Amino acid sequence: MTKIEKVGSFESKITVYVVVCWVLAACGGLMFGYDIGISGGVTAMDDFLIKFFPAVYQRKLRAKEDNYCKYDNQYLQLFTSSLYLAALVSSFAASKMCSKLGRKPTIFVASAFFLCGSLLSAAAQRIWMIILARVLLGVGVGFGNEAVPLFLSEIAPVQHRGAVNILFQLFITIGILFANLVNYGASKIHPWGWRLSLGLASLPAAFLFVGSVVIIETPASLVERNQESQGRSTLKKIRGVEDVDAEFEQIKMACEAAREVKDPFKRLMKRSSMPPLIIGVMMQVFQQFTGINAIMFYAPVLFQTVGFKNDASLLSSVITGLVNVFSTLVSIYGVDRVGRRKLLLQACVQMFISQTAIGAILLVHLKGSNSLDEGLAGLVVVLVCLFVMSFAWSWGPLGWLIPSETFPLEIRTSGFACAVSSNMLFTFIIAQAFLSMMCHMRAFIFFFFAAWIVAMGLFVLFLLPETKNVPIDAMVERVWKQHPVWKRFMDDYDGKEDVKNVGMII
Ligand code: BGC
């Protein structure tokens, strides 16, 4: 238990219980990350291909045929991408459940779907079973990704909201790394290693399952559903202090204002909702068009493409996974010190250089049927690491943080649902299209992502306001109404902002 911290008139301690709640809920990130990391390795395993995708396996045997096209298969991509389609659809149902029944049961449902999906995928005998399992996992991800960041933000003391929110991303990266390690070990077990890879997804699901029982409902959700006295006692419990009046009053006010808005999705269509909506959605679209998931899903495939053997390519994915985890820690430390814009802009430069360099090496040295010499293949791994590193301290965590802190309260959950589903939609598109794109565009695929990186850099430069140290309930007054471009949208804003009691968001 730490000493009492005071921000504005809010008091809090970081209690053991609240930390346990953060960690257990953040296991939702673990589930999401495990899925992202596992599919690439599994689709590179021969036993898995022989069982479900024999045509791809045959093509791989004739590997010399064409480096860029050997994995191009719509079904194989559907295996990876079906999860995100299911997540996209279910995140809207999840947002309804979140507000009608609460965050805790939504997290419970997420873990239950996830558990079923992981067991079915480990036991699958036919292709439809494996796709159905992916859909179940996807529903789990949709529910988890909607409820977990919201839950974390709502139970974090105001001054730690940024860092607590990034815990979600940290757990995503740990999930990806864990999956990479499992794939590395499981690929040596024949012929059922892939079952182990897919089945072990039940581990993070089980953590979250236990977590969903142990965690507390958030005070905001309780008050929103007319359970005021429970809301107050919960707030005391998670803040570790007796005097929670100021914060409780603010939650009540916010809930009253939010209750007045009968249809939050309709409200989202107002002109004054456009600035945070455009920012929230574009952050997610751009996050995906960095090309990160081309690497997260298909790193082993990519590394095989440049000429590594199976083992070396899985090991290289483990290395990128480690870089991903440790660079996220940089973001936790830096996001409130250097600010969001600087991190994003710095990363654009680093990502642009690495993507164009990878593209140039492949363009010059990787033809249809050769492989890169060892030095160059090693250089590609280094460049991939540089790319992942910069993503991990910028567009990764901030893609989730910025949409969660820039909507005014009355449209926060509905706006966030739009951001989550945009993320899922574009993750789906990349997962479904990347291998075909690589087959058709060849090395130019990397220049394609580099061009997007230029666009997102310009977007940040001209359109993204800095939100570091701006209180979450003062965004309209202090950010949107002051911004040279976005202030023109704010003339029909009629919401109320309570800035009296609010502490600084760091
Ligand atoms: C993104 C994922 C990505 C991961 C990589 C997350 O923020 O939403 O799509 O795979 O970061 O660490």
Side-chain angles (χ1 to χ4, degrees):
M1 180 108 73
T2 56
K3 62 179 179 7
I4 295 184
E5 295 175 81
K6 202 165 158 79
V7 182
S9 37
F10 296 177
E11 283 185 1
S12 61
K13 281 189 219 164
I14 297 186
T15 60
V16 174
Y17 183 67
V18 83
V19 173
V20 169
C21 285
W22 293 342
V23 172
L24 287 175
C27 288
L30 217 54
M31 289 187 345
F32 180 40
Y34 190 85
D35 261 308
I36 292 168
I38 210 72
S39 21
V42 168
T43 50
M45 288 180 198
D46 289 349
D47 296 322
F48 177 79
L49 291 178
I50 292 167
K51 181 137 186 86
F52 296 110
F53 302 96
V56 183
Y57 180 67
Q58 287 306 323
R59 192 163 342 157
K60 189 179 166 186
L61 285 184
R62 289 177 271 122
K64 292 278 168 267
E65 174 184 283
D66 191 337
N67 270 327
Y68 292 97
C69 296
K70 56 186 168 190
Y71 289 99
D72 176 22
N73 178 292
Q74 290 300 321
Y75 286 114
L76 188 60
Q77 294 180 78
L78 191 62
F79 166 75
T80 301
S81 64
S82 50
L83 190 154
Y84 301 94
L85 202 56
L88 155 70
V89 177
S90 60
S91 60
F92 287 103
S95 99
K96 271 258 175 302
M97 179 165 184
C98 244
S99 57
K100 296 277 174 267
L101 300 177
R103 294 29 168 166
K104 190 174 146 105
T106 312
I107 294 176
F108 177 82
V109 168
S111 68
F113 270 105
F114 212 79
L115 215 48
C116 296
S118 47
L119 296 178
L120 180 61
S121 59
Q125 293 298 340
R126 305 209 180 292
I127 190 159
W128 66 263
M129 291 181 177
I130 204 106
I131 302 282
L132 177 64
R134 296 290 289 175
V135 170
L136 293 175
L137 292 170
V139 176
V141 167
F143 274 66
N145 282 20
E146 175 70 21
V148 169
L150 220 76
F151 174 88
L152 290 174
S153 294
E154 285 180 351
I155 67 162
V158 70
Q159 69 276 24
H160 297 299
R161 201 192 308 265
V164 172
N165 192 288
I166 295 182
L167 217 55
F168 177 63
Q169 173 74 13
L170 183 67
F171 273 63
I172 295 177
T173 61
I174 294 173
I176 295 174
L177 175 64
F178 176 48
N180 292 158
L181 287 168
V182 168
N183 273 342
Y184 184 57
S187 67
K188 296 184 177 53
I189 305 173
H190 301 287
W192 52 271
W194 61 270
R195 291 193 187 276
L196 187 67
S197 289
L198 296 177
L200 276 178
S202 50
L203 216 63
F207 283 144
L208 192 71
F209 190 80
V210 172
S212 68
V213 177
V214 173
I215 60 173
I216 212 157
E217 186 52 275
T218 71
S221 170
L222 288 165
V223 177
E224 201 180 3
R225 290 175 296 116
N226 301 318
Q227 299 173 30
E228 274 198 24
S229 63
Q230 242 176 304
R232 184 188 282 275
S233 55
T234 302
L235 191 60
K236 282 187 190 168
K237 192 165 177 189
I238 59 174
R239 293 290 174 258
V241 294
E242 275 305 306
D243 181 10
V244 291
D245 289 351
E247 188 172 359
F248 191 68
E249 275 318 301
Q250 200 203 22
I251 292 175
K252 264 174 57 182
M253 246 186 86
C255 288
E256 271 158 30
R259 264 192 227 120
E260 274 170 31
V261 176
K262 290 284 166 271
D263 186 347
F265 282 98
K266 199 163 152 206
R267 174 75 172 227
L268 260 186
M269 293 300 117
K270 273 185 81 162
R271 211 174 130 74
S272 54
S273 302
M274 287 302 129
L277 185 62
I278 292 171
I279 295 285
V281 168
M282 289 315 287
M283 283 302 294
Q284 297 285 24
V285 175
F286 284 144
Q287 188 203 56
Q288 291 307 312
F289 276 105
T290 57
I292 185 67
N293 280 327
I295 290 172
M296 289 299 137
F297 295 142
Y298 300 119
V301 170
L302 191 70
F303 291 140
Q304 285 194 6
T305 300
V306 300
F308 283 118
K309 293 277 161 289
N310 216 345
D311 219 30
S313 68
L314 287 176
L315 187 61
S316 312
S317 320
V318 172
I319 296 171
T320 54
L322 274 169
V323 169
N324 199 13
V325 173
F326 285 102
S327 311
T328 307
L329 297 177
V330 175
S331 168
I332 293 185
Y333 178 81
V335 68
D336 305 309
R337 292 177 170 84
V338 294
R340 282 73 165 144
R341 279 170 54 88
K342 282 199 187 124
L343 279 180
L344 291 168
L345 287 171
Q346 184 283 334
C348 281
V349 175
Q350 192 168 326
M351 290 192 301
F352 178 81
I353 294 172
S354 14
Q355 289 279 28
T356 36
I358 296 171
I361 291 174
L362 297 196
L363 187 65
V364 176
H365 297 281
L366 189 71
K367 304 295 171 206
S369 60
N370 65 336
S371 51
L372 296 183
D373 68 42
E374 237 172 63
L376 277 179
L379 184 58
V380 169
V381 175
V382 171
L383 289 166
V384 168
C385 286
L386 282 174
F387 169 80
V388 169
M389 185 186 293
S390 48
F391 175 89
W393 61 52
S394 60
W395 291 86
L398 300 184
W400 297 101
L401 174 62
I402 292 177
S404 79
E405 67 180 10
T406 43
F407 286 101
L409 184 74
E410 60 276 14
I411 51 169
R412 196 168 292 149
T413 52
S414 51
F416 191 63
C418 291
V420 174
S421 52
S422 310
N423 182 289
M424 294 303 143
L425 176 64
F426 286 89
T427 306
F428 166 77
I429 290 174
I430 297 285
Q432 185 65 33
F434 176 69
L435 293 180
S436 312
M437 282 166 80
M438 186 157 86
C439 178
H440 291 111
M441 297 170 75
R442 313 177 81 79
F444 287 98
I445 180 90
F446 296 96
F447 301 133
F448 167 81
F449 288 128
W452 275 96
I453 292 169
V454 173
M456 61 189 81
L458 294 173
F459 179 83
V460 173
L461 205 57
F462 296 110
L463 295 175
L464 186 83
E466 179 58 67
T467 46
K468 173 183 90 160
N469 284 347
V470 180
I472 198 167
D473 286 308
M475 288 289 167
V476 172
E477 293 302 328
R478 295 207 198 154
V479 172
W480 303 120
K481 287 190 177 173
Q482 311 298 328
H483 193 272
V485 175
W486 299 122
K487 68 180 177 198
R488 286 178 231 155
F489 287 73
M490 299 313 294
D491 41 10
D492 70 347
Y493 185 73
D494 57 1
K496 292 177 229 77
E497 278 201 336
D498 171 31
V499 286
K500 293 191 304 293
N501 285 322
V502 186
M504 302 301 276
I505 296 295
I506 61 165

